Amino acid sequence: VTMWPTMASDEEGEGEADGEDGPGAGARGPTANKRKTRTERNRQERARERVHEEAKRREARALDRQLSRVQAISRELDKETRAKERQRAEAERSAPEAKRLRVPKRLGPHRRREAPWSAVLSDELPSALRQVRAPSTSLLTERYLSTQRRNLVEPRAVVRKRRRYELREYTVKGFKEEDWQKL
């Protein structure tokens, strides 16, 4: 008789009585209904218990291995926290340098003019897109400020016209103030 320790308990050989091909099937077909003896049942029960005990032992061994690794795991965690602390300290030390690198280089004598930031809030939006007001700045101005921001063009100040000398008032011969009033 062949032993199948993982097989569930057969209740008086029901499966083979239905004509199924089981482990005891011969060349001519299923064998006759065969009852298990007490020793066979005991042997199967002991095999099942052995498998169950082996699984329990494996679980206990895995748990012991994990418990013995607790110190190693805690050491790894300490090492990781120290490394993170070192990185944080390094970042704090290099923060001013990083800030300096982020600030764009100053190309000219004038400061860059920031564009006025405007946005339409959702409650301010009109119901139709045709009613949306155009932005207050022109596209050309926006593009120019963008090139300044990217340091492609140096910022320039607006040059206003101014006179070198004050205007002098004088009267031309033959043209008096009274004549000026008539015009």
Side-chain angles (χ1 to χ4, degrees), residues 119-181:
V120 181
L121 300 175
S122 58
D123 58 322
E124 296 171 352
L125 275 174
S127 58
L129 282 176
R130 289 181 182 174
Q131 297 171 348
V132 175
R133 293 182 55 200
S136 59
T137 59
S138 68
L139 279 177
L140 186 66
T141 308
E142 286 181 14
R143 290 293 86 213
Y144 182 67
L145 291 175
S146 172
T147 54
Q148 282 183 354
R149 205 175 308 116
R150 290 178 287 152
N151 274 351
L152 300 175
V153 175
E154 80 274 5
R156 296 185 178 182
V158 177
V159 179
R160 292 188 174 81
K161 290 183 180 178
R162 59 177 184 228
R163 295 184 184 269
R164 203 174 258 191
Y165 307 109
E166 285 186 32
L167 272 178
R168 293 182 183 172
E169 287 187 23
Y170 57 92
T171 57
V172 180
K173 281 186 182 179
F175 197 80
K176 296 180 181 171
E177 248 182 78
E178 297 130 19
D179 296 335
W180 180 258
Q181 301 276 334

Side-chain angles (χ1 to χ4, degrees), residues 19-75:
E20 296 174 1
D21 291 340
R28 295 184 189 155
T31 57
N33 194 3
K34 199 175 189 185
R35 291 188 81 164
K36 292 181 185 175
T37 62
R38 182 178 290 160
T39 57
E40 287 175 341
R41 283 195 300 269
N42 288 344
R43 203 175 294 141
Q44 270 188 340
E45 185 65 30
R46 283 193 303 268
R48 256 188 254 114
E49 286 176 8
R50 249 183 276 130
V51 168
H52 192 306
E53 289 296 319
E54 183 62 31
K56 274 187 179 177
R57 251 185 265 125
R58 248 184 266 121
E59 286 177 16
R61 246 183 279 136
L63 187 63
D64 284 343
R65 260 186 258 120
Q66 285 179 353
L67 288 175
S68 65
R69 283 204 62 225
V70 165
Q71 288 180 343
I73 290 172
S74 69
R75 270 186 256 125

